[in-house]
Amino acid sequence: MLFLLVVDYQPGVVDTPMEQWSPEEIKAHMDYYDDLNAELLQTGEYVGGHALTGPDLAKVVTSDGTAPEVVDGPFTEYRRMLAGYQLVDVVSEQRAIEIAARVSAVPGPGGVPLQQPITVRRVISSTDFESL
């Protein structure tokens, strides 16, 4: 079963923006993700994932099939914007939740686990439509 683990800009228990963290704190934060992803790759559960640039660099594109309309960020409701994601292939939703809990515990300033909310969403497969 494929699940998308969504990291957005909700701060968890730490309100200090990453731009105000020390370089060592940012490195520890990113190393945590690298180590977790390496572990999940070893178990065959990691499909992919990436951290994304901030909302200030985001663009929203709409089109009716002709010239696109492009709106540049930053956007007022950025807390719900995607900051990064992991795609995992696991045996159950429970396993996806276990991994999401580890993502939520990523360290922030002073090594404090962020307790950042992580959204877990199952990827739809063709079997979801067989009974329709």
Side-chain angles (χ1 to χ4, degrees):
M1 302 172 81
L2 285 176
F3 284 88
L4 182 67
L5 310 181
V6 177
V7 179
D8 58 25
Y9 285 92
Q10 295 182 76
V13 298
V14 175
D15 286 331
T16 307
M18 188 180 274
E19 303 83 49
Q20 295 176 15
W21 298 5
S22 73
E24 296 80 18
E25 291 167 334
I26 293 171
K27 181 175 180 349
H29 181 85
M30 299 311 290
D31 285 351
Y32 180 93
Y33 279 114
D34 289 344
D35 292 346
L36 177 58
N37 292 340
E39 178 186 325
L40 296 173
L41 187 61
Q42 194 96 26
T43 64
E45 296 172 305
Y46 184 74
V47 176
H50 295 282
L52 304 172
T53 59
D56 56 321
L57 298 175
K59 298 187 181 337
V60 173
V61 178
T62 56
S63 177
D64 62 3
T66 59
E69 178 181 327
V70 180
V71 178
D72 291 329
F75 302 99
T76 54
E77 191 50 46
Y78 75 90
R79 289 173 99 79
R80 296 287 184 181
M81 288 192 77
L82 188 64
Y85 67 93
Q86 291 164 293
L87 187 62
V88 294
D89 189 357
V90 293
V91 296
S92 67
E93 179 180 62
Q94 182 57 40
R95 178 61 181 146
I97 289 169
E98 290 169 5
I99 296 168
R102 292 184 62 195
V103 174
S104 177
V106 64
V112 174
L114 289 182
Q115 300 178 46
Q116 186 175 22
I118 306 300
T119 302
V120 176
R121 296 184 63 187
R122 187 175 58 82
V123 175
I124 293 174
S125 72
S126 59
T127 59
D128 290 306
F129 302 103
E130 289 176 355
S131 63
L132 296 178

